[in-house]
Structure formats: C-alpha cells, structure tokens
Amino acid sequence: NLCLAASSLARARVWEPTLGNAVAKLFVSEEGHRQRREQFAFCNPVDVVQLCRFAATFIKQLSILEFESGSAIVRACAHLREEEQRGHVLEATGLISLLRTLALLRDSEGRRGIRVDTSGIARWVRARLVRELPACSPRQLASSLLDLRALELLDSSTFDHIRREVDRCWRARTMRPRDLVSVLSAYSNLPGLNIIHSQVHMQRLLPHMVNLLPGCSVTDLCELVHGVATAHIYDRTLLDAWSLHFSQKALGLKEHLHGSPSETSSAIDVLDSNGIGVSRAGFRLGPTQLSLVIADLAKLRYVRKDSQNTFARLLEAACDVAPSLGGLAVCHIVCALARVSNERDGGRQSQGSFRKNAISEQIRDTHRTLLRQLEGQLIVRAQELRPQGLSASAASFVKLRHFSEDLFSSLATAAVPRLATFIAQDFAMLCSALAVAQRVLADAWHGDPLDQLGRHAASSLHAEGQAWSPRQISQVLQPFAVRQLRCPEGLLQAVLGHLRTRSSSYSPRDLAGLLGGLSSSGALGQTRISVEAWQAAQKRLPKLPGPEAVAVAESLAQLRNAVPTSQLRYRFRLLSRSLQQALESHTLAIAGQASVLRIWALLGLRDWLLLAEIARSASEALRGLGSRPERSQTQLTSLPLEELACALYAFAKLGAPEQVPAPFRLAIQDFLLRALKVIHDSEQLEKLEERGLRQLLLAIVLWEPPLTQSSTSTVEPFMDMDARSLRKSLLCDGLRAWLPILDQGNTAAWEHARLVASSAALEYGLHPDAMMPAGLASDSLAELLAGPSSQDGMHVHYELRSYERSVHAALERFLHERTGQEVSAPCVAVMHPLAPFNVKLAVPAWHVAFQVGLPEDFVDAGGPRYAWDPGGWGQVAEAEIDSSPLPCHDEMLDAQSEASGWLESGTGDLARGEVARGVGEDYHDNSARASTSKAQWQRLPALRLRLLRALGWVPVEVPYFEWRALSGWSEQRRYLAEKLRDHFVKRPGADGSPMTGRRIPHRKKKDRKSTRL
C-alpha cells in the first residue's frame, strides 16, 4: 500500500511529508544501511520501481530530510538486477517506469550540478526493454522513445526495434491521439540522425494524426505543433486542421453563421467579420505554452495563410499576460516576432482581402504594444536567460528596430558575468546585434562590458577555434569597428591565427567582412598586420565574376596598403573586366552595382567604361520608376533617396560629368539628371538623414555650375540647363532641411555646410532668405555665411603641410625683397578667414590667395607612382568630406539587411579612411612629372578655387610638382615673380592706400636682387 500511494503521488506531483519520511525509512534504517535483500524484503520488483519513481520525482524535498535519492535509486536498481538473476523478472510496465525514473534523475541531478553514474543501469534497462517491446502499449512505446532520447541511449538498433512496434500499432489503429503525438514529438529530434530522416518517419504518420486531432487535448495540440516545427515540416492540411481545433479548444473560439449570432451572444465577447466569436473566458493556455506556440507558428511561417488568425490572436493574448511572462517566454515571443517580421510587413495580398488588410494592421498595432511590454519584462527577467537566450533576444530586438538604452544595459548586466559560458554562435549573434544598436544608441555596451566581451571572445577563439566559422569571426569584430576602437590584442591575434590556419574555408564575402572589421577598428593601419592579412588572404581572392568579384574588390580595397602595386593594378583590371561581363549578362544585382560604385569612388578609380555601364543600369531602374507615376511612392521604397544621394556623390567625386570622356558622357549625364528628378519629385528631403543630405548637397556643389564653365565645356547644354534648375531647387530645399539638424559642435560638418551655403549664394544666386529654415534664427545662417573666425597666430602655422610651409617661407622672403625699404611688405596671412573657408596662404591687401596643390589634390596625383601610392588612393582632399569606415557585408542585420533597395548591401560614405598623410619633400623619385597644362584638380580643391574667384579674389595655383622642380631660391623667386606677373596688383602707399598698379617686369637675369612691384 505504501508503494502504491508513493507511485500515485509521484504521478500527480503532490508532496506529502509523512509519506516521504516513510519512504526514506524504507530505504535507510536508523542503524544505517541494511543489506539490499533485507531492505526490500517485503517489496516485489514493481514495488521497488514505484519507490524509485517517488524518490526521483521529489529529490529536492527528500534532500531536506538528508536523503540522497540518487544513491538510493542506484542501490534499488542493483537489487532489481540481483532479483532478476533469482527469477523475479521485471515486466514491460516496470521497465518503462524505471526508464522514466532514470530520465527524471538525470534531469534533476543535472540542474543541481550533481552527477550520478547511472549509465550501467540505463544500458541494462535498455537491453531488457528491447526484448519486452512487443508487450508494450502505444503509450509505453512513445514514453520509451522520449526517455531513451533524454538519456542519450537511442541508437539506431534500438530505434529500429521501437519503430517496427510503432508501425504495428499504427496499422492496427490502436494508437490514441496522445500516444501518436508523443511518438511524433520523439521522432522530431532523433539524436544521430539527419533531420531528413526524421521528416520521412513523421510524414508517414501525419495523415493518421489529422484524423485523430478531434481527440487531442490542448496540451497534445501544443506538443504536436512543437514537434512539427522542430522537424521543419510544413504540411498545410495538418496545420489547417490543427488551427481549427486549437482555436476552439485553446482560444475558446466557435464558428457561427453570420445570420444567427444572437443564439450564443452571451458567451461571446467579440464577433469578427468572419463570424468567429472570441471568448476570453475560454482561453486555456498558460504563459509558457502560449510563448512556445507563438514561437512554433513563427518557425513554420504559418501566419498569413492561417484562416483562423491564430498567430494574431495569440499575440493579443500575450499582451494580456505579459506581466506574468518569464525571461524564456519573452525570448520566445520576441524571436517569433523577428522571424515573421518580413512576412507580416511584406507579401502579396489576395484579391478582395479587406479582412487580411485589417488583420495586418491589427498585428502591427499589437506588435508595437507588445514590444514595449516585452522590453519592460525582459529588463526585469534578463537574469533568467541562458547565453543563447540573451544573444537571441538582443538580435531579435535589433531586427525589429526596437532600441532602448535600458534594454541593452540590462542585457549587458546579465551577459557579462556569463560570457565565459558563451559559445561561438552566441558571441557572433550578440556582437552583430550590438553593431547595429551602437549606430543608434550612443551608450550601448561601451567601456568595460565591451572590453570583457572582446577578451572572452578571444579566449573562446583560442580554445575552440575549430568551432568558429569565418562568418562568426567577422561578426565578432563589428562592435569595435562601429565605434572605431582598437579591439583587444588577444582577440586580434586570435582572429589572425584563425585566418592563417583556416584561410581555405574563407569565402570572398567572409574575407571582405573580416578585413572590413579589421580596417574599421584600426588594425590594418599597422603595416605588420596588413601584410600578414594579405599573405593569408591572397589565395582566397581569385578573379571571380558577379557578386564574388565585388567581395574580392572590397577585400583588395581594405588591403591596398599591403598589396604590391603591380599586383593591385593587375587585379583591379581583371575585376573590371569580370564586372563588365556580369553587367552585360545581367548577373550583377543592383546591390552589387552599388557596391562597385562605392568602392571605385572610394579609391578614386576613374574606370569610366565600367562606371558608364553601372549608370546605364541605374538609369533603366529610374526610367521604370518614371513610367509608372502612380506607383512612385511604392517604387521609392526599392530605390531609397539615401542611396540615390550616395550615388550622385560618388559620380561627382570622380569628376562627373565634366571630366568624363566623350564616349561615356551621355550615359552618366542621363543617370545624374534622372536621379536629380526622382529626388526632386519625391518631395521627401526632410526624411533624409544628415549624412544623406550632406552627400546630396556636396554632390550638387562639386558639380561645376554652367555659369562658371568655360566655352569648351564638355557637358551637353540642354542637359546641363535642366540639371541647373533642379540643382538650384534642391540646394534651396536641402539647406532648409539640413541646417536644423546640423551639429554645430561638429567642425567638419560645419565647414561642409559653409561651403554648400557659399556656393548656393555665389554660384546659384540663392538669397539667404530662401535658404532660411523655418524656426532657425536668422543669426545662425548669418554666422554660417559670414565665414570662420580668425585663429590664433601662434597655432595657425601648424595648419600648413609640407610644400605649403616651403611656399609660405619663400613668399614672405620674396615680398620683403621686392617691396624694398620704402614701405612695409604686404602681410602674408596664414589661415585667412573668408566666408566659404579659411585660405591657408593669402595676401589680403591684394586679394590674392595661394592654392598649393599637394599630390593628393590632383586627379593624376602627379605621376604613375602617386596614383597607386597609399597617400593618393582616393584619400585625397575628398577624404575631408567623410571619414566613415568602408562598410562590410553582413547577413544579420541583416538585423539590418532587411531594408531592401538599391545599395542595400551597405552604403557607407564614399570618402573614408584616415586623413591623407602629408606629402612633403620625402616624395622624391624619378617618376614623370605632370605639366601644368595637364594637371587636373580634385573636386574639393576645384570648388574652393571657384568660390575664391566668385568672391573677387585672385587664386594663384602652385602645384607641388612645379615647386619641387625648383632647385634653389633664385628659381623660386623667379617662379613667384612669374606667377604674380600675370595679375595686376596695386602697390600700397605709405599710408596703406593702394597706388596705381603696374605689371611685374619679367627678369631673366638670376643675379638681379631688387625688382620693384
């Protein structure tokens, strides 16, 4: 009787202290351990199994009585084996119960951190059970499958024996619904077998399961959908039938005819448009079951095609019970929302689907409300999550574009103490999510939490390098790359070691992502690391067509400082040919074309043949947009304005359209004009972010306006006049949208705004009132147009670089000698403030500005060597426009790759990298020197020269290659005299008033010391 009572209470999980004391005394007497035979003298084998079940169920309660259930169960099982040798054989029911006891013991002791060795007993039970399988009922077969899988004893031979008995019961139609559900649940996750084998075994039973669904309970239905989701089986017939029965039994929904809802109106709270009544009182799901069903439906993508709207109604129910959700339940729901976010937001609507449209709106509203509730619950319950739950929750919130300082702070608090238990997948998922969050939240994981994340990732990579994939390696660097922080030295060495040992497993895309992370974190700035990365990566950068060629180009762009010049030239020529072939065959997607444009503009590669093909492809997309004006708003989602602004900036940076050769000019001009029209017609400039507005406005002012173009301009007149009106309108609207969001503390952004505003006023004739944003004080714009303030004379000299310092010293000496003793020499000002910018070298009394051209200020960089030198790789004056890192491809963000559209693979700013290093006299070589007639300024210096002329100043151009050719002071003096001779300069009188000017006489003799101005 005691054994029967213990078995009943164990099944019901009801603890009775008095009975627990009696069971404990039966196992251990007051005098100590008895002999096993004497201990169970009054118990048959079934009684012993029942006592063991009680001891395994209430381990925690019995431990308070100082009773060790694990050792007691081991002694009892040893007694059973001895009794079997005496002829007292345990039958199938006892073996099934004993197997369940061992599974409970393993689970309970594992959670307590105690390991009891029951492997020998479990193998004995398995061997005995295989012989007794024909006597087992269907329920016992299902139980044996689950318990053997939990004990990791379900080998192929045992599974085959159980499967044959299951098939026998299935054909005999003796299985009850609960038994078949348990069998399917066990089949869904078979250890050691491929998921395809699990699907094959389950699909044979699914038709029979559909017939048994009316007899399933709510728990059975939840277990069934979990098993089907685990095996990734999408059976529409089964799911539709499951949804109908689940809605009736779990959600309390009943279908009624539209004409007679009054009969049951008292039992229904809501009646939707389909005549489906919703009774809140009939809801029969707990929070844990609710979260699991939501996760399983999302995993099966059974959302929009569900006629019962089960997913939407479960989300509403989750809103009601959100305060009672635990950490794991919150993780399940938010991961489900992230998994189906694309399906809810996109997808094709069926004909006449007013009901589906209403459902979509309802889901979106529920989604926003539920996310806020889940965030608050997770902040409190984050400590309950394991590493996988923490990283998955962070990635899901990021994918849903839900950012919160408190949320990520709580995740950091919960994750940092457990970073030592993270595996490679957890590190990669968490780092990828943090990289996106850091772009939105300034304080997301900074300081010590980020350092600890890097150190533990390095330890994991050193210890389990084989478990890390190349994609995970590139993702773990992203948080440091976004903040442009040096990653820990240990992590850097571990990453390079992984690249050396497993370089053969890196695809070009993975390699591009890895190198992008190293470059953005500053690691590739060290020559040793860049050379080491190139030596490990060069074999994985073949000449491939299409998308792979884009990834190769990104990798080469990151390694340009380490790659030999000859090899770099050769590889980019081959890449250009491969990309042209891909464009001709239409195998290169728009996103890939955008990446090519970004890389070529970043490096300053004016491959107009390739760029013209990209322009033609983009024009076709824009032409299709213009041909369907009624769909313009929809099409703009696939061609974001930010990306069109980025493309305009790229072409303008490379010199389009004025510097484009004639064969390719028309295609590029057509794209530029169409892009301007699309942006202008969209009337959505205020929705552009600060970077997009800055790129658009800089592209407009870098493009030389018609009034300043010479008579030999290469731009088609009719196109340029159309573009001028569009550019003028966009400048006016863009400045009004940009200035209110401009950070005045950002010196570089403020200088760019000053250039744009000055160009708009001087070259396009815009009045300051037209550029005045609503709500912005007039003195702010006046301050912008007034120019920078003068700087301290003690520090301005440090603003000069290499050749500029030499020209400054020579100019001062030249003016002092030529002026003579009659009057004081004109002052040579350094960083003289003007409205658009500070003039580095100027003679304010004469309105003369000296533009000293350094190697990075010219398109050809002064010769073949400089075109491929680390200092001239597009890291020219345009590098002052932007300093964002070259972005790398990532699937997540893909927590961030959801934003579909043109250039969706990453739209980092085109002119990135470190500021170009000063190029001085150390640039001596025997390369060919460019002549003045062939020198072509980069776009930003050319803009400054235009603005100087528009202000009435006389710019004097001093290219570095001309100044470098001068051997001494006598030649420098003659050179300056020749430069100033071309201008009428007025000589100041003794009182400072200007005198009648004369041309500077040209002196051919080198020994003439005094030349009067």
Side-chain angles (χ1 to χ4, degrees), residues 2 39 57 136 149 157 179 254 260 325 372 428 432 456-457 675 713 743 749 804 838 903 905 911 926:
L2 176 65
Q39 190 174 8
T57 303
C136 292
R149 187 182 68 181
S157 176
D179 302 334
K254 296 183 179 180
S260 57
L325 293 175
R372 290 191 292 269
S432 182
H456 283 91
S713 175
D743 182 11
E804 293 173 341
N838 286 327
L903 296 175
S905 61
N926 298 322

mmCIF file of all heavy atoms in Angstrom, residues 2 39 57 136 149 157 179 254 260 325 372 428 432 456-457 675 713 743 749 804 838 903 905 911 926:
data_model
loop_
_atom_site.group_PDB
_atom_site.id
_atom_site.type_symbol
_atom_site.label_atom_id
_atom_site.label_comp_id
_atom_site.label_asym_id
_atom_site.label_seq_id
_atom_site.Cartn_x
_atom_site.Cartn_y
_atom_site.Cartn_z
ATOM 1 N N LEU A 2 1.953 1.240 0.745
ATOM 2 C CA LEU A 2 2.868 2.381 0.770
ATOM 3 C C LEU A 2 3.441 2.634 -0.624
ATOM 4 O O LEU A 2 3.528 3.773 -1.073
ATOM 5 C CB LEU A 2 3.990 2.132 1.779
ATOM 6 C CG LEU A 2 5.084 3.210 1.837
ATOM 7 C CD1 LEU A 2 4.526 4.528 2.317
ATOM 8 C CD2 LEU A 2 6.228 2.755 2.752
ATOM 9 N N GLN A 39 16.552 -5.039 3.003
ATOM 10 C CA GLN A 39 15.931 -3.714 2.927
ATOM 11 C C GLN A 39 14.605 -3.763 2.179
ATOM 12 O O GLN A 39 13.647 -3.073 2.528
ATOM 13 C CB GLN A 39 16.904 -2.761 2.223
ATOM 14 C CG GLN A 39 16.518 -1.309 2.270
ATOM 15 C CD GLN A 39 17.608 -0.447 1.681
ATOM 16 O OE1 GLN A 39 18.564 -0.954 1.120
ATOM 17 N NE2 GLN A 39 17.461 0.853 1.826
ATOM 18 N N THR A 57 11.135 11.797 -8.302
ATOM 19 C CA THR A 57 10.245 12.937 -8.506
ATOM 20 C C THR A 57 10.462 14.015 -7.458
ATOM 21 O O THR A 57 10.393 15.212 -7.754
ATOM 22 C CB THR A 57 8.785 12.461 -8.489
ATOM 23 O OG1 THR A 57 8.604 11.454 -9.490
ATOM 24 C CG2 THR A 57 7.833 13.618 -8.768
ATOM 25 N N CYS A 136 4.620 -3.967 -25.078
ATOM 26 C CA CYS A 136 4.386 -2.572 -24.690
ATOM 27 C C CYS A 136 3.176 -2.008 -25.428
ATOM 28 O O CYS A 136 2.914 -2.335 -26.593
ATOM 29 C CB CYS A 136 5.608 -1.714 -25.008
ATOM 30 S SG CYS A 136 7.053 -2.080 -23.990
ATOM 31 N N ARG A 149 15.845 8.947 -25.592
ATOM 32 C CA ARG A 149 16.480 10.113 -26.208
ATOM 33 C C ARG A 149 17.047 11.047 -25.141
ATOM 34 O O ARG A 149 18.145 11.589 -25.301
ATOM 35 C CB ARG A 149 15.460 10.863 -27.061
ATOM 36 C CG ARG A 149 16.050 11.991 -27.887
ATOM 37 C CD ARG A 149 14.974 12.721 -28.654
ATOM 38 N NE ARG A 149 14.077 13.455 -27.758
ATOM 39 C CZ ARG A 149 13.029 14.171 -28.175
ATOM 40 N NH1 ARG A 149 12.735 14.214 -29.452
ATOM 41 N NH2 ARG A 149 12.285 14.812 -27.303
ATOM 42 N N SER A 157 19.941 0.803 -33.663
ATOM 43 C CA SER A 157 19.342 -0.528 -33.490
ATOM 44 C C SER A 157 18.103 -0.452 -32.592
ATOM 45 O O SER A 157 17.045 -1.014 -32.912
ATOM 46 C CB SER A 157 20.377 -1.484 -32.880
ATOM 47 O OG SER A 157 19.799 -2.738 -32.617
ATOM 48 N N ASP A 179 -0.884 9.244 -27.660
ATOM 49 C CA ASP A 179 0.260 8.379 -27.947
ATOM 50 C C ASP A 179 0.922 8.764 -29.270
ATOM 51 O O ASP A 179 2.165 8.834 -29.354
ATOM 52 C CB ASP A 179 -0.193 6.922 -27.995
ATOM 53 C CG ASP A 179 -0.839 6.487 -26.689
ATOM 54 O OD1 ASP A 179 -0.501 7.087 -25.647
ATOM 55 O OD2 ASP A 179 -1.680 5.568 -26.723
ATOM 56 N N LYS A 254 -15.510 29.833 -31.417
ATOM 57 C CA LYS A 254 -16.520 28.980 -32.041
ATOM 58 C C LYS A 254 -17.015 29.644 -33.289
ATOM 59 O O LYS A 254 -17.206 30.856 -33.336
ATOM 60 C CB LYS A 254 -17.695 28.723 -31.081
ATOM 61 C CG LYS A 254 -17.307 27.940 -29.839
ATOM 62 C CD LYS A 254 -18.521 27.653 -28.977
ATOM 63 C CE LYS A 254 -18.131 26.856 -27.746
ATOM 64 N NZ LYS A 254 -19.295 26.568 -26.889
ATOM 65 N N SER A 260 -27.156 34.205 -37.595
ATOM 66 C CA SER A 260 -27.741 33.940 -36.282
ATOM 67 C C SER A 260 -26.692 33.969 -35.186
ATOM 68 O O SER A 260 -26.413 32.955 -34.569
ATOM 69 C CB SER A 260 -28.421 32.568 -36.287
ATOM 70 O OG SER A 260 -27.493 31.575 -36.658
ATOM 71 N N LEU A 325 4.937 36.816 -17.837
ATOM 72 C CA LEU A 325 5.867 36.066 -18.674
ATOM 73 C C LEU A 325 7.249 36.027 -18.043
ATOM 74 O O LEU A 325 7.737 37.032 -17.521
ATOM 75 C CB LEU A 325 5.973 36.706 -20.066
ATOM 76 C CG LEU A 325 4.733 36.648 -20.950
ATOM 77 C CD1 LEU A 325 4.961 37.427 -22.236
ATOM 78 C CD2 LEU A 325 4.360 35.205 -21.266
ATOM 79 N N ARG A 372 6.846 46.899 -26.451
ATOM 80 C CA ARG A 372 7.112 47.728 -25.282
ATOM 81 C C ARG A 372 6.916 46.934 -23.981
ATOM 82 O O ARG A 372 7.690 47.087 -23.026
ATOM 83 C CB ARG A 372 6.203 48.957 -25.299
ATOM 84 C CG ARG A 372 6.558 49.966 -26.386
ATOM 85 C CD ARG A 372 5.802 51.266 -26.191
ATOM 86 N NE ARG A 372 4.370 51.103 -26.421
ATOM 87 C CZ ARG A 372 3.778 51.288 -27.593
ATOM 88 N NH1 ARG A 372 4.502 51.635 -28.648
ATOM 89 N NH2 ARG A 372 2.474 51.134 -27.731
ATOM 90 N N ALA A 428 28.824 35.587 -31.820
ATOM 91 C CA ALA A 428 28.579 36.190 -33.132
ATOM 92 C C ALA A 428 27.223 36.887 -33.181
ATOM 93 O O ALA A 428 27.100 38.008 -33.690
ATOM 94 C CB ALA A 428 28.665 35.118 -34.217
ATOM 95 N N SER A 432 26.909 40.967 -33.525
ATOM 96 C CA SER A 432 26.224 41.503 -34.696
ATOM 97 C C SER A 432 25.074 42.421 -34.300
ATOM 98 O O SER A 432 24.850 43.465 -34.920
ATOM 99 C CB SER A 432 25.711 40.351 -35.565
ATOM 100 O OG SER A 432 25.091 40.823 -36.725
ATOM 101 N N HIS A 456 36.725 37.663 -23.639
ATOM 102 C CA HIS A 456 36.152 36.309 -23.579
ATOM 103 C C HIS A 456 36.002 35.715 -24.973
ATOM 104 O O HIS A 456 36.138 34.489 -25.144
ATOM 105 C CB HIS A 456 34.797 36.358 -22.873
ATOM 106 C CG HIS A 456 34.902 36.486 -21.386
ATOM 107 N ND1 HIS A 456 34.926 37.703 -20.752
ATOM 108 C CD2 HIS A 456 35.008 35.560 -20.402
ATOM 109 C CE1 HIS A 456 35.022 37.527 -19.442
ATOM 110 N NE2 HIS A 456 35.061 36.236 -19.197
ATOM 111 N N ALA A 457 35.699 36.538 -25.968
ATOM 112 C CA ALA A 457 35.646 36.023 -27.342
ATOM 113 C C ALA A 457 37.018 35.532 -27.777
ATOM 114 O O ALA A 457 37.129 34.491 -28.453
ATOM 115 C CB ALA A 457 35.137 37.110 -28.283
ATOM 116 N N ALA A 675 18.362 60.942 -61.641
ATOM 117 C CA ALA A 675 18.424 60.842 -60.179
ATOM 118 C C ALA A 675 18.001 62.152 -59.528
ATOM 119 O O ALA A 675 17.275 62.160 -58.519
ATOM 120 C CB ALA A 675 19.835 60.457 -59.750
ATOM 121 N N SER A 713 33.260 73.629 -72.479
ATOM 122 C CA SER A 713 32.680 72.650 -71.557
ATOM 123 C C SER A 713 32.200 71.419 -72.315
ATOM 124 O O SER A 713 31.670 71.502 -73.414
ATOM 125 C CB SER A 713 31.505 73.276 -70.801
ATOM 126 O OG SER A 713 30.875 72.306 -70.008
ATOM 127 N N ASP A 743 24.863 69.459 -36.568
ATOM 128 C CA ASP A 743 25.520 69.542 -35.262
ATOM 129 C C ASP A 743 26.596 70.621 -35.334
ATOM 130 O O ASP A 743 27.628 70.450 -35.986
ATOM 131 C CB ASP A 743 26.137 68.191 -34.899
ATOM 132 C CG ASP A 743 26.800 68.223 -33.527
ATOM 133 O OD1 ASP A 743 26.596 69.212 -32.803
ATOM 134 O OD2 ASP A 743 27.509 67.253 -33.192
ATOM 135 N N ALA A 749 31.499 69.003 -40.245
ATOM 136 C CA ALA A 749 30.177 69.178 -40.840
ATOM 137 C C ALA A 749 29.849 70.663 -41.009
ATOM 138 O O ALA A 749 29.234 71.062 -42.007
ATOM 139 C CB ALA A 749 29.117 68.500 -39.959
ATOM 140 N N GLU A 804 53.380 73.496 -48.476
ATOM 141 C CA GLU A 804 52.767 74.763 -48.082
ATOM 142 C C GLU A 804 53.702 75.562 -47.176
ATOM 143 O O GLU A 804 53.783 76.795 -47.285
ATOM 144 C CB GLU A 804 51.439 74.500 -47.369
ATOM 145 C CG GLU A 804 50.374 73.915 -48.273
ATOM 146 C CD GLU A 804 49.139 73.498 -47.519
ATOM 147 O OE1 GLU A 804 49.223 73.321 -46.286
ATOM 148 O OE2 GLU A 804 48.089 73.333 -48.170
ATOM 149 N N ASN A 838 38.757 78.906 -44.673
ATOM 150 C CA ASN A 838 39.996 79.592 -44.340
ATOM 151 C C ASN A 838 41.001 79.397 -45.471
ATOM 152 O O ASN A 838 41.281 78.257 -45.863
ATOM 153 C CB ASN A 838 40.579 79.060 -43.034
ATOM 154 C CG ASN A 838 39.819 79.540 -41.816
ATOM 155 O OD1 ASN A 838 39.295 80.652 -41.812
ATOM 156 N ND2 ASN A 838 39.742 78.702 -40.793
ATOM 157 N N LEU A 903 21.482 49.686 -53.343
ATOM 158 C CA LEU A 903 22.628 49.856 -52.460
ATOM 159 C C LEU A 903 22.359 49.295 -51.074
ATOM 160 O O LEU A 903 22.902 49.782 -50.102
ATOM 161 C CB LEU A 903 23.017 51.339 -52.319
ATOM 162 C CG LEU A 903 23.487 52.051 -53.563
ATOM 163 C CD1 LEU A 903 23.687 53.528 -53.218
ATOM 164 C CD2 LEU A 903 24.761 51.513 -54.108
ATOM 165 N N SER A 905 23.312 46.658 -49.677
ATOM 166 C CA SER A 905 24.369 45.880 -49.069
ATOM 167 C C SER A 905 25.280 46.696 -48.187
ATOM 168 O O SER A 905 26.199 46.176 -47.593
ATOM 169 C CB SER A 905 25.213 45.215 -50.156
ATOM 170 O OG SER A 905 25.807 46.200 -50.970
ATOM 171 N N ALA A 911 34.084 58.593 -49.260
ATOM 172 C CA ALA A 911 35.433 59.052 -48.988
ATOM 173 C C ALA A 911 35.743 58.774 -47.540
ATOM 174 O O ALA A 911 35.396 59.512 -46.659
ATOM 175 C CB ALA A 911 35.557 60.535 -49.268
ATOM 176 N N ASN A 926 61.967 59.355 -59.332
ATOM 177 C CA ASN A 926 62.287 59.638 -60.720
ATOM 178 C C ASN A 926 61.087 59.497 -61.630
ATOM 179 O O ASN A 926 61.241 59.302 -62.837
ATOM 180 C CB ASN A 926 63.406 58.698 -61.197
ATOM 181 C CG ASN A 926 64.678 58.899 -60.408
ATOM 182 O OD1 ASN A 926 65.018 60.031 -60.056
ATOM 183 N ND2 ASN A 926 65.375 57.807 -60.113
#
